Amino acid sequence: MRSPTVGSSALLAAAILCLRGASAFSPPGRNGGAPSGGTRSIASHGEAVRSSLASSVDAVDAEPAATVNGATGTGKKRMAVLLCPAQFCVPVDYTDLLDSIRSEHANVEVVATHVAPLPRTEWIKVARQLPTKDFIDANLSVPVTLDWYFDAIEQGLAEIFAEGGDDVEVCVIGHSIGGWVARAYLGGLSGSSTAVYRLAKDRISSLVTLGTPHTSPESALVDQTRGLLREVASSPDCSSQSLADRGIKVTCVGSSGLSGKLVTTELEEIIAATSYLPLVGRLGADVKGDGIVPTDLAFMEAPARSVEIEQCSETGDAVRHAHVLPTPWNLIDGSAPSISLPEDIVWYGSPGVLGQWLTYVE
């Protein structure tokens, strides 16, 4: 199912505002509550995640893949991809990206692709932390606040191993917040000890983050993640060196295509400025990004690779943070596609951009 498309140029600005607001963990309503119909969806999704993990692992044991030393009959390495979505984005939003990865990757055979199964209604669970002292003090706990996201990651991994076999290597791709949540999971902050987690520790070979903020600097005007990102960034087990020591190659992809300016006639530059300024505490000619995340925050320390993309190689257009306008207000159908931005809006998964980082899915 394709997302509905809207052609208005003002929609891009609306998307930036929506994504920027999402990064602050704001509740979806004035009181943080779900409308009738949303609560049932949240509960049933959580139960489905927990109940499906064991059966998915059993399926791995029952149907091993026909491979030799992890290679296919073509001699290429067998890979699977798990995508961790941005806030309020849903699996169907990434269908085109995953299809392109399957068809365009020349170095490996991508045998399975899955998105961590998160309906947008799951994000309401963050609201449980809003009235707490830890939220006010910007000291939220990663395993307590994001347990539902970690459950979805494990369900996605279980589906990958069931489809691709327990010898398939896995690349985790994280878009926006999904990148640092995936990093937290790989660093053990979920506290998981399941069979899926133990297998994933052995089979995940790479992490690619797209437009992900990896630090919350002291210069920031506000800690939009209320301590969560700081906990991930300061955890030794989540460092790129620690991940590399466990055989996980990390690649951080960020865009430097958009400046942020408060005095300009370009609406997109004004809105980018309202995102960059609180995140890094300053504006200037050297502060650029993808309209949401400035490059100052998009890269981890070595040995992680840093891939800075300024423009699309086919069109020359700036690379933006996302390709859709999330719809956090649509809580009746939590899995309905987000609103597609016009096709001429270039993002990390667009033709002419994907090829600049696809080789690192390895």
Side-chain angles (χ1 to χ4, degrees):
M1 181 178 181
R2 294 295 301 275
S3 305
T5 301
V6 177
S8 171
S9 60
L11 191 55
L12 178 59
I16 293 175
L17 281 172
C18 184
L19 287 162
R20 173 176 165 261
S23 68
F25 291 112
S26 302
R30 171 176 288 183
N31 299 316
S36 61
T39 304
R40 181 188 300 178
S41 175
I42 295 172
S44 62
H45 175 75
E47 293 167 1
V49 169
R50 288 186 289 273
S51 65
S52 67
L53 291 178
S55 60
S56 296
V57 174
D58 289 343
V60 172
D61 296 332
E63 299 183 21
T67 62
V68 178
N69 296 326
T72 66
T74 64
K76 293 181 179 180
K77 182 169 71 172
R78 300 172 65 255
M79 289 290 306
V81 172
L82 174 70
L83 195 142
C84 296
Q87 191 169 10
F88 291 117
C89 288
V90 295
V92 71
D93 294 338
Y94 297 96
T95 298
D96 288 348
L97 171 61
L98 294 179
D99 287 347
S100 295
I101 290 173
R102 272 185 181 266
S103 62
E104 296 180 22
H105 205 315
N107 300 329
V108 301
E109 182 172 351
V110 180
V111 298
T113 58
H114 287 271
V115 181
L118 285 170
R120 62 181 56 85
T121 46
E122 284 292 278
W123 290 94
I124 299 175
K125 293 181 177 179
V126 175
R128 296 178 302 191
Q129 304 299 324
L130 296 183
T132 65
K133 184 176 186 299
D134 285 340
F135 179 87
I136 296 170
D137 295 341
N139 195 34
L140 289 180
S141 164
V142 168
V144 171
T145 308
L146 298 175
D147 56 343
W148 49 274
Y149 201 128
F150 294 139
D151 283 347
I153 288 176
E154 292 212 341
Q155 183 180 4
L157 288 169
E159 292 168 352
I160 279 176
F161 294 133
E163 180 179 347
D166 59 6
D167 63 340
V168 70
E169 293 193 22
V170 180
C171 173
V172 178
I173 299 175
H175 178 212
S176 194
I177 184 179
W180 62 259
V181 177
R183 176 184 171 192
Y185 179 80
L186 297 177
L189 293 187
S190 70
S192 177
S193 60
T194 65
V196 171
Y197 178 73
R198 294 194 299 270
L199 181 57
K201 287 178 64 177
D202 182 58
R203 303 314 304 166
I204 293 176
S205 57
S206 56
L207 168 67
V208 177
T209 66
L210 308 175
T212 293
H214 282 290
T215 62
S216 182
E218 292 295 327
S219 62
L221 301 184
V222 62
D223 183 348
Q224 294 191 352
T225 69
R226 311 312 296 158
L228 295 173
L229 182 52
R230 185 177 66 248
E231 181 180 351
V232 176
S234 63
S235 169
D237 290 337
C238 296
S239 69
S240 66
Q241 185 61 64
S242 178
L243 295 176
D245 290 344
R246 282 174 275 158
I248 301 173
K249 298 177 181 179
V250 179
T251 302
C252 303
V253 183
S255 167
S256 57
L258 293 171
S259 298
K261 300 177 182 178
L262 292 175
V263 182
T264 177
T265 58
E266 295 293 330
L267 178 60
E268 192 174 3
E269 290 182 339
I270 295 173
I271 296 176
T274 66
S275 183
Y276 301 165
L277 181 58
L279 289 173
V280 296
R282 64 187 179 89
L283 293 174
D286 61 328
V287 180
K288 297 182 178 181
D290 60 14
I292 296 291
V293 177
T295 53
D296 290 21
L297 309 184
F299 306 115
M300 293 174 65
E301 72 285 349
R305 304 184 189 96
S306 298
V307 179
E308 184 174 319
I309 301 175
E310 182 176 0
Q311 61 186 23
C312 173
S313 64
E314 294 185 4
T315 67
D317 291 334
V319 177
R320 295 167 172 87
H321 187 75
H323 58 308
V324 295
L325 172 62
T327 55
W329 55 85
N330 184 3
L331 301 178
I332 297 176
D333 186 353
S335 298
S338 303
I339 300 173
S340 288
L341 294 176
E343 291 187 2
D344 60 349
I345 298 299
V346 173
W347 82 295
Y348 294 105
S350 296
V353 182
L354 174 60
Q356 298 186 52
W357 57 268
L358 182 57
T359 185
Y360 302 116
V361 175
E362 58 182 344

